[in-house]
Short mmCIF file of all heavy atoms in Angstrom, two decimals:
data_model
loop_
_atom_site.label_atom_id
_atom_site.label_comp_id
_atom_site.label_asym_id
_atom_site.label_seq_id
_atom_site.Cartn_x
_atom_site.Cartn_y
_atom_site.Cartn_z
N LYS A 804 51.86 47.30 -98.05
CA LYS A 804 50.91 47.81 -97.05
C LYS A 804 50.53 49.27 -97.36
O LYS A 804 49.36 49.64 -97.29
CB LYS A 804 51.48 47.72 -95.63
CG LYS A 804 51.46 46.35 -95.07
CD LYS A 804 50.02 45.95 -94.80
CE LYS A 804 49.95 44.66 -94.04
NZ LYS A 804 48.58 44.18 -93.95
N ARG A 805 51.53 50.09 -97.68
CA ARG A 805 51.26 51.50 -98.02
C ARG A 805 50.40 51.60 -99.28
O ARG A 805 49.51 52.44 -99.36
CB ARG A 805 52.57 52.28 -98.20
CG ARG A 805 53.22 52.67 -96.89
CD ARG A 805 54.36 53.65 -97.09
NE ARG A 805 55.38 53.17 -98.00
CZ ARG A 805 56.42 52.42 -97.65
NH1 ARG A 805 56.59 52.07 -96.41
NH2 ARG A 805 57.30 52.05 -98.54
N SER A 806 50.64 50.75 -100.24
CA SER A 806 49.85 50.73 -101.46
C SER A 806 48.40 50.38 -101.16
O SER A 806 47.48 51.00 -101.69
CB SER A 806 50.44 49.74 -102.47
OG SER A 806 49.66 49.66 -103.61
N ASP A 807 48.19 49.39 -100.30
CA ASP A 807 46.83 49.02 -99.90
C ASP A 807 46.14 50.18 -99.17
O ASP A 807 44.97 50.47 -99.42
CB ASP A 807 46.84 47.79 -98.98
CG ASP A 807 47.26 46.52 -99.70
OD1 ASP A 807 47.26 46.50 -100.96
OD2 ASP A 807 47.58 45.53 -99.01
N GLN A 808 46.87 50.84 -98.28
CA GLN A 808 46.29 51.97 -97.54
C GLN A 808 45.93 53.10 -98.49
O GLN A 808 44.88 53.74 -98.34
CB GLN A 808 47.27 52.47 -96.48
CG GLN A 808 47.44 51.52 -95.33
CD GLN A 808 48.58 51.90 -94.41
OE1 GLN A 808 49.44 52.71 -94.75
NE2 GLN A 808 48.59 51.33 -93.22
N ARG A 809 46.78 53.34 -99.47
CA ARG A 809 46.50 54.41 -100.44
C ARG A 809 45.25 54.08 -101.25
O ARG A 809 44.41 54.94 -101.49
CB ARG A 809 47.71 54.61 -101.36
CG ARG A 809 47.48 55.69 -102.37
CD ARG A 809 48.71 55.95 -103.20
NE ARG A 809 48.41 56.90 -104.24
CZ ARG A 809 49.31 57.52 -104.97
NH1 ARG A 809 50.57 57.29 -104.78
NH2 ARG A 809 48.95 58.36 -105.91
N PHE A 810 45.12 52.85 -101.68
CA PHE A 810 43.95 52.43 -102.45
C PHE A 810 42.67 52.66 -101.65
O PHE A 810 41.69 53.22 -102.14
CB PHE A 810 44.07 50.96 -102.86
CG PHE A 810 42.84 50.43 -103.51
CD1 PHE A 810 42.55 50.72 -104.83
CD2 PHE A 810 41.94 49.65 -102.79
CE1 PHE A 810 41.40 50.24 -105.44
CE2 PHE A 810 40.78 49.17 -103.38
CZ PHE A 810 40.51 49.47 -104.70
N ILE A 811 42.67 52.24 -100.39
CA ILE A 811 41.49 52.40 -99.54
C ILE A 811 41.19 53.87 -99.30
O ILE A 811 40.03 54.30 -99.37
CB ILE A 811 41.68 51.63 -98.22
CG1 ILE A 811 41.68 50.12 -98.50
CG2 ILE A 811 40.60 52.00 -97.21
CD1 ILE A 811 42.15 49.27 -97.35
N ALA A 812 42.22 54.67 -99.04
CA ALA A 812 42.01 56.10 -98.81
C ALA A 812 41.44 56.78 -100.06
O ALA A 812 40.50 57.59 -99.97
CB ALA A 812 43.32 56.77 -98.41
N GLU A 813 41.96 56.43 -101.23
CA GLU A 813 41.45 57.00 -102.48
C GLU A 813 40.00 56.59 -102.71
O GLU A 813 39.18 57.39 -103.16
CB GLU A 813 42.31 56.57 -103.67
CG GLU A 813 43.70 57.15 -103.69
CD GLU A 813 43.73 58.61 -104.13
OE1 GLU A 813 42.69 59.18 -104.51
OE2 GLU A 813 44.83 59.18 -104.09
N LEU A 814 39.68 55.34 -102.41
CA LEU A 814 38.32 54.85 -102.57
C LEU A 814 37.35 55.61 -101.66
O LEU A 814 36.30 56.07 -102.11
CB LEU A 814 38.27 53.35 -102.27
CG LEU A 814 36.92 52.67 -102.40
CD1 LEU A 814 36.42 52.74 -103.85
CD2 LEU A 814 37.03 51.22 -101.95
N PHE A 815 37.72 55.78 -100.40
CA PHE A 815 36.87 56.53 -99.47
C PHE A 815 36.69 57.97 -99.92
O PHE A 815 35.59 58.53 -99.85
CB PHE A 815 37.45 56.50 -98.05
CG PHE A 815 36.99 55.32 -97.26
CD1 PHE A 815 37.83 54.23 -97.08
CD2 PHE A 815 35.74 55.30 -96.68
CE1 PHE A 815 37.42 53.14 -96.34
CE2 PHE A 815 35.32 54.21 -95.94
CZ PHE A 815 36.16 53.13 -95.77
N ARG A 816 37.77 58.59 -100.37
CA ARG A 816 37.70 59.98 -100.80
C ARG A 816 36.78 60.12 -102.01
O ARG A 816 35.95 61.02 -102.07
CB ARG A 816 39.11 60.51 -101.11
CG ARG A 816 39.09 61.95 -101.59
CD ARG A 816 40.46 62.59 -101.59
NE ARG A 816 41.33 62.07 -102.63
CZ ARG A 816 42.53 62.59 -102.89
NH1 ARG A 816 43.00 63.61 -102.20
NH2 ARG A 816 43.27 62.06 -103.84
N MET A 817 36.92 59.21 -102.97
CA MET A 817 36.09 59.28 -104.17
C MET A 817 34.62 59.03 -103.85
O MET A 817 33.73 59.76 -104.31
CB MET A 817 36.58 58.27 -105.21
CG MET A 817 35.81 58.33 -106.52
SD MET A 817 35.99 59.90 -107.38
CE MET A 817 37.65 59.78 -107.95
N GLN A 818 34.35 58.03 -103.04
CA GLN A 818 32.96 57.73 -102.68
C GLN A 818 32.32 58.89 -101.91
O GLN A 818 31.18 59.25 -102.16
CB GLN A 818 32.89 56.46 -101.83
CG GLN A 818 33.12 55.20 -102.62
CD GLN A 818 33.08 53.97 -101.74
OE1 GLN A 818 33.44 54.01 -100.56
NE2 GLN A 818 32.64 52.86 -102.31
N THR A 819 33.06 59.44 -100.96
CA THR A 819 32.52 60.55 -100.17
C THR A 819 32.28 61.76 -101.05
O THR A 819 31.24 62.43 -100.92
CB THR A 819 33.49 60.89 -99.03
OG1 THR A 819 33.72 59.72 -98.24
CG2 THR A 819 32.92 61.98 -98.14
N THR A 820 33.19 62.05 -101.95
CA THR A 820 33.01 63.18 -102.87
C THR A 820 31.77 62.97 -103.73
O THR A 820 30.97 63.89 -103.92
CB THR A 820 34.25 63.36 -103.76
OG1 THR A 820 35.40 63.52 -102.93
CG2 THR A 820 34.12 64.57 -104.66
N ASP A 821 31.59 61.76 -104.26
CA ASP A 821 30.41 61.47 -105.08
C ASP A 821 29.12 61.65 -104.28
O ASP A 821 28.14 62.21 -104.77
CB ASP A 821 30.47 60.06 -105.65
CG ASP A 821 31.49 59.92 -106.77
OD1 ASP A 821 31.96 60.95 -107.29
OD2 ASP A 821 31.82 58.77 -107.12
N LEU A 822 29.12 61.16 -103.04
CA LEU A 822 27.92 61.28 -102.21
C LEU A 822 27.60 62.74 -101.88
O LEU A 822 26.43 63.11 -101.78
CB LEU A 822 28.08 60.47 -100.92
CG LEU A 822 28.02 58.96 -101.10
CD1 LEU A 822 28.42 58.25 -99.81
CD2 LEU A 822 26.64 58.51 -101.55
N LEU A 823 28.61 63.54 -101.71
CA LEU A 823 28.38 64.97 -101.46
C LEU A 823 27.93 65.68 -102.73
O LEU A 823 27.01 66.50 -102.69
CB LEU A 823 29.65 65.63 -100.92
CG LEU A 823 30.08 65.23 -99.51
CD1 LEU A 823 31.45 65.82 -99.20
CD2 LEU A 823 29.06 65.66 -98.48
N ASN A 824 28.54 65.35 -103.85
CA ASN A 824 28.26 66.07 -105.10
C ASN A 824 26.85 65.83 -105.64
O ASN A 824 26.32 66.69 -106.34
CB ASN A 824 29.29 65.72 -106.16
CG ASN A 824 30.58 66.47 -105.95
OD1 ASN A 824 30.61 67.52 -105.31
ND2 ASN A 824 31.67 65.95 -106.48
N ILE A 825 26.25 64.69 -105.34
CA ILE A 825 24.89 64.46 -105.85
C ILE A 825 23.88 65.34 -105.13
O ILE A 825 22.74 65.46 -105.57
CB ILE A 825 24.46 62.98 -105.76
CG1 ILE A 825 24.45 62.50 -104.32
CG2 ILE A 825 25.33 62.12 -106.65
CD1 ILE A 825 23.87 61.10 -104.13
N GLN A 826 24.30 66.00 -104.06
CA GLN A 826 23.39 66.81 -103.26
C GLN A 826 23.51 68.31 -103.53
O GLN A 826 22.76 69.09 -102.95
CB GLN A 826 23.64 66.56 -101.77
CG GLN A 826 23.46 65.10 -101.38
CD GLN A 826 23.80 64.87 -99.95
OE1 GLN A 826 23.28 65.54 -99.08
NE2 GLN A 826 24.68 63.92 -99.70
N ILE A 827 24.45 68.70 -104.37
CA ILE A 827 24.66 70.13 -104.61
C ILE A 827 24.63 70.43 -106.10
O ILE A 827 24.72 69.54 -106.94
CB ILE A 827 25.97 70.64 -103.98
CG1 ILE A 827 27.17 69.86 -104.48
CG2 ILE A 827 25.90 70.58 -102.46
CD1 ILE A 827 28.50 70.32 -103.92
N LYS A 828 24.52 71.71 -106.42
CA LYS A 828 24.49 72.14 -107.82
C LYS A 828 25.78 71.76 -108.53
O LYS A 828 26.86 71.72 -107.94
CB LYS A 828 24.32 73.66 -107.90
CG LYS A 828 22.97 74.15 -107.45
CD LYS A 828 22.91 75.66 -107.57
CE LYS A 828 21.59 76.19 -107.10
NZ LYS A 828 21.53 77.64 -107.13
N LYS A 829 25.65 71.54 -109.83
CA LYS A 829 26.80 71.13 -110.64
C LYS A 829 27.93 72.17 -110.55
O LYS A 829 29.10 71.81 -110.49
CB LYS A 829 26.38 70.93 -112.09
CG LYS A 829 27.44 70.33 -112.95
CD LYS A 829 26.91 70.00 -114.33
CE LYS A 829 27.98 69.29 -115.14
NZ LYS A 829 27.50 68.87 -116.43
N SER A 830 27.59 73.44 -110.51
CA SER A 830 28.60 74.49 -110.48
C SER A 830 29.36 74.55 -109.15
O SER A 830 30.42 75.15 -109.07
CB SER A 830 27.95 75.85 -110.74
OG SER A 830 27.01 76.15 -109.72
N GLN A 831 28.82 73.92 -108.11
CA GLN A 831 29.45 73.95 -106.78
C GLN A 831 30.12 72.64 -106.40
O GLN A 831 30.62 72.51 -105.30
CB GLN A 831 28.38 74.28 -105.73
CG GLN A 831 27.78 75.65 -105.88
CD GLN A 831 26.68 75.89 -104.87
OE1 GLN A 831 25.90 74.99 -104.56
NE2 GLN A 831 26.61 77.10 -104.36
N ARG A 832 30.16 71.70 -107.31
CA ARG A 832 30.69 70.38 -106.99
C ARG A 832 32.17 70.41 -106.60
O ARG A 832 32.94 71.22 -107.09
CB ARG A 832 30.46 69.42 -108.15
CG ARG A 832 28.99 69.11 -108.29
CD ARG A 832 28.73 68.01 -109.23
NE ARG A 832 27.29 67.76 -109.26
CZ ARG A 832 26.68 67.19 -110.25
NH1 ARG A 832 27.36 66.79 -111.30
NH2 ARG A 832 25.39 67.00 -110.20
N LEU A 833 32.50 69.49 -105.73
CA LEU A 833 33.87 69.35 -105.23
C LEU A 833 34.66 68.37 -106.08
O LEU A 833 34.11 67.42 -106.61
CB LEU A 833 33.84 68.79 -103.81
CG LEU A 833 33.23 69.62 -102.71
CD1 LEU A 833 32.98 68.74 -101.49
CD2 LEU A 833 34.15 70.76 -102.36
N LYS A 834 35.95 68.60 -106.13
CA LYS A 834 36.86 67.59 -106.66
C LYS A 834 37.39 66.83 -105.46
O LYS A 834 37.47 67.37 -104.35
CB LYS A 834 38.00 68.26 -107.42
CG LYS A 834 37.52 68.96 -108.68
CD LYS A 834 38.67 69.58 -109.42
CE LYS A 834 38.11 70.29 -110.66
NZ LYS A 834 39.10 71.09 -111.32
N PRO A 835 37.76 65.57 -105.65
CA PRO A 835 38.23 64.79 -104.50
C PRO A 835 39.36 65.46 -103.71
O PRO A 835 39.37 65.44 -102.49
CB PRO A 835 38.70 63.47 -105.13
CG PRO A 835 37.85 63.34 -106.35
CD PRO A 835 37.68 64.75 -106.86
N GLY A 836 40.29 66.10 -104.40
CA GLY A 836 41.39 66.77 -103.72
C GLY A 836 40.99 67.98 -102.92
O GLY A 836 41.72 68.43 -102.05
N GLU A 837 39.82 68.53 -103.22
CA GLU A 837 39.32 69.66 -102.43
C GLU A 837 38.72 69.18 -101.11
O GLU A 837 38.70 69.91 -100.14
CB GLU A 837 38.24 70.42 -103.20
CG GLU A 837 38.75 71.14 -104.42
CD GLU A 837 37.62 71.78 -105.20
OE1 GLU A 837 36.67 71.05 -105.58
OE2 GLU A 837 37.69 73.00 -105.43
N LEU A 838 38.21 67.96 -101.11
CA LEU A 838 37.61 67.41 -99.92
C LEU A 838 38.68 67.02 -98.91
O LEU A 838 38.66 67.45 -97.77
CB LEU A 838 36.75 66.20 -100.27
CG LEU A 838 36.03 65.53 -99.12
CD1 LEU A 838 35.04 66.49 -98.47
CD2 LEU A 838 35.32 64.28 -99.60
N TRP A 839 39.61 66.19 -99.35
CA TRP A 839 40.73 65.75 -98.50
C TRP A 839 41.99 65.79 -99.34
O TRP A 839 42.00 65.32 -100.47
CB TRP A 839 40.55 64.32 -98.02
CG TRP A 839 39.45 64.10 -97.04
CD1 TRP A 839 39.15 64.86 -95.96
CD2 TRP A 839 38.53 63.02 -97.04
NE1 TRP A 839 38.10 64.33 -95.29
CE2 TRP A 839 37.69 63.19 -95.93
CE3 TRP A 839 38.32 61.92 -97.86
CZ2 TRP A 839 36.66 62.31 -95.62
CZ3 TRP A 839 37.31 61.05 -97.56
CH2 TRP A 839 36.50 61.24 -96.44
N LYS A 840 43.07 66.28 -98.77
CA LYS A 840 44.37 66.26 -99.43
C LYS A 840 45.20 65.16 -98.79
O LYS A 840 45.24 65.02 -97.58
CB LYS A 840 45.06 67.60 -99.30
CG LYS A 840 44.34 68.69 -100.06
CD LYS A 840 45.24 69.89 -100.25
CE LYS A 840 44.54 70.99 -100.99
NZ LYS A 840 44.18 70.69 -102.34
N PHE A 841 45.85 64.39 -99.66
CA PHE A 841 46.70 63.32 -99.19
C PHE A 841 48.16 63.63 -99.54
O PHE A 841 48.42 64.38 -100.49
CB PHE A 841 46.31 61.98 -99.84
CG PHE A 841 44.95 61.49 -99.42
CD1 PHE A 841 44.07 60.99 -100.37
CD2 PHE A 841 44.55 61.50 -98.10
CE1 PHE A 841 42.82 60.51 -99.99
CE2 PHE A 841 43.31 61.03 -97.71
CZ PHE A 841 42.45 60.52 -98.66
N PRO A 842 49.10 63.05 -98.81
CA PRO A 842 50.52 63.34 -99.06
C PRO A 842 50.96 63.03 -100.49
O PRO A 842 51.85 63.68 -101.03
CB PRO A 842 51.26 62.45 -98.06
CG PRO A 842 50.28 62.20 -96.98
CD PRO A 842 48.92 62.20 -97.64
N TRP A 843 50.33 62.08 -101.15
CA TRP A 843 50.75 61.68 -102.49
C TRP A 843 50.09 62.51 -103.58
O TRP A 843 50.29 62.25 -104.76
CB TRP A 843 50.46 60.20 -102.71
CG TRP A 843 49.05 59.81 -102.45
CD1 TRP A 843 47.98 59.97 -103.30
CD2 TRP A 843 48.52 59.22 -101.27
NE1 TRP A 843 46.83 59.51 -102.72
CE2 TRP A 843 47.13 59.04 -101.46
CE3 TRP A 843 49.08 58.82 -100.06
CZ2 TRP A 843 46.32 58.48 -100.49
CZ3 TRP A 843 48.26 58.27 -99.11
CH2 TRP A 843 46.91 58.11 -99.33
N ASP A 844 49.31 63.52 -103.23
CA ASP A 844 48.65 64.33 -104.25
C ASP A 844 49.63 65.18 -105.05
O ASP A 844 49.29 65.69 -106.10
CB ASP A 844 47.58 65.23 -103.61
CG ASP A 844 46.34 64.45 -103.22
OD1 ASP A 844 46.13 63.35 -103.77
OD2 ASP A 844 45.58 64.94 -102.37
N GLY A 845 50.83 65.36 -104.55
CA GLY A 845 51.88 66.03 -105.33
C GLY A 845 51.81 67.53 -105.37
O GLY A 845 52.44 68.15 -106.21
N ASP A 846 51.09 68.15 -104.45
CA ASP A 846 51.01 69.61 -104.46
C ASP A 846 51.71 70.21 -103.25
O ASP A 846 51.37 71.28 -102.78
CB ASP A 846 49.56 70.08 -104.52
CG ASP A 846 48.71 69.56 -103.37
OD1 ASP A 846 49.25 68.81 -102.52
OD2 ASP A 846 47.53 69.88 -103.32
N GLY A 847 52.70 69.49 -102.72
CA GLY A 847 53.46 70.00 -101.59
C GLY A 847 52.78 69.76 -100.25
O GLY A 847 53.28 70.19 -99.23
N VAL A 848 51.66 69.05 -100.27
CA VAL A 848 50.92 68.83 -99.03
C VAL A 848 51.73 67.99 -98.04
O VAL A 848 51.58 68.13 -96.84
CB VAL A 848 49.53 68.22 -99.35
CG1 VAL A 848 49.50 66.73 -99.17
CG2 VAL A 848 48.47 68.86 -98.52
#
C-alpha cells in the first residue's frame, strides 16, 4: 500500500512540475523536489 501511495505521489509531483515548467523560462524551472518534498526524498525531511 505504501509503495502504491509513493508511486502515485511521485507521479503527481512530476506531472505538476512539468505543467508548471512549460510556463516559465528555462533558467527558472523547478525540480520536482523543490515543488513538494516527500519523506522518502532522503534529505532529512
